[in-house]
Amino acid sequence: MAQSPEKIVIADDHPLFRNALKQIIGQHRDQAEIFEISDISNLQDFCQGNNNAQLLLLDLHIPGAKGFSGLIYMVNNHPQIPVLMISANDGDDIIAKAIRNGAAGFISKSADPEEISRAIDIIFEGDIYLPPGCNVDPEDLDDTDPSDIASLMAQLTPQQFKVATMLAEGLLNKQIAYELHVTEATIKAHVTEIFRKLGVSSRTQAVLAISQLDIAQPNLV
């Protein structure tokens, strides 16, 4: 019986980088079915109907996410899909946070094709991939605080997660309702639940809490 092709998802907003990754994966795993996603909202919609995807390559700065919030969403809602984080922010602190929040591996945007292929192979074998020279030990990263914002964000439903990230972008309830094609009353109900789950009492507090997940964009020259 023929084996189903591997489903691999690339989630990054830069078409040239997505295409480069697609070519690298295609050359290394020529039977793989590769899907391209440009923002977190489309990734959420895609994963609802593709729970059998076997790997997600996720850009840390994908539009619609605040830092590690995209990773947290995936780990909480689609734990069966391993996530290989990608970023030009490749310091040990960033790598450690990615692994602590559930990533199956991390690669820098400057990684060469051989390293990217090796990372994918290792994750498909069920192991965690860390880049060469990184001083992060996954065994030392099991000290997560259940009260931190990552754990609290993980409690949000998919729709609450969308509302929370739009809230963090400064959108008003009316604007969020328009974007999500629901009533303003529905958004108000979601916001109330978001406040409760995050342990805050105002929009400002919620935005400040969610912003803790944000990571500054690297300066690329």
Side-chain angles (χ1 to χ4, degrees):
M1 187 181 208
Q3 197 173 26
S4 298
E6 297 163 343
K7 274 190 175 182
I8 298 177
V9 184
I10 300 170
D12 190 288
D13 65 319
H14 294 95
L16 289 177
F17 188 70
R18 286 201 312 268
N19 186 58
L21 282 176
K22 187 174 182 179
Q23 289 187 24
I24 292 168
I25 296 169
Q27 289 170 1
H28 185 62
R29 311 181 84 91
D30 57 5
Q31 298 302 312
E33 193 174 2
I34 303 171
F35 301 87
E36 297 181 55
I37 305 288
S38 61
D39 59 52
I40 198 70
S41 180
N42 284 324
L43 176 62
Q44 290 171 314
D45 293 341
F46 176 86
C47 289
Q48 290 299 322
N50 292 274
N51 265 324
N52 60 341
Q54 289 148 295
L55 178 64
L56 167 65
L57 286 78
L58 177 62
D59 177 20
L60 178 59
H61 295 288
I62 190 168
K66 279 283 185 183
F68 292 102
S69 67
L71 170 63
I72 293 163
Y73 173 86
M74 289 300 301
V75 170
N76 187 54
N77 291 279
H78 303 282
Q80 76 285 1
I81 305 176
V83 180
L84 175 57
M85 292 299 297
I86 308 169
S87 179
N89 290 86
D90 54 6
D92 285 353
D93 57 333
I94 300 296
I95 297 172
K97 286 180 181 178
I99 303 303
R100 181 180 287 119
N101 283 307
F106 187 101
I107 55 172
S108 171
K109 282 204 169 184
S110 62
D112 59 36
E114 289 75 19
E115 182 186 344
I116 293 169
S117 299
R118 184 166 62 253
I120 293 172
D121 285 344
I122 287 173
I123 292 173
F124 266 102
E125 289 168 4
D127 294 322
I128 291 175
Y129 179 79
L130 297 174
C134 135
N135 295 308
V136 174
D137 185 350
E139 298 296 324
D140 297 333
L141 300 177
D142 57 354
D143 57 346
T144 52
D145 180 351
S147 67
D148 68 19
I149 187 61
S151 298
L152 298 177
M153 285 286 286
Q155 299 176 34
L156 302 181
T157 67
Q159 193 73 343
Q160 288 167 3
F161 181 92
K162 286 184 179 180
V163 173
T165 52
M166 296 171 85
L167 195 72
E169 294 296 330
L171 273 66
L172 302 175
N173 287 356
K174 182 189 298 185
Q175 295 170 309
I176 298 173
Y178 177 80
E179 293 291 333
L180 298 181
H181 308 292
V182 297
T183 66
E184 193 170 349
T186 297
I187 298 303
K188 287 180 180 178
H190 282 318
V191 169
T192 298
E193 274 299 289
I194 290 167
F195 286 1
R196 183 183 69 79
K197 290 181 177 179
L198 297 186
V200 300
S201 57
S202 70
R203 296 176 78 92
T204 299
Q205 290 177 350
V207 170
L208 288 174
I210 297 168
S211 294
Q212 293 176 41
L213 294 171
D214 212 357
I215 304 292
Q217 288 273 12
N219 292 318
L220 300 177
V221 291

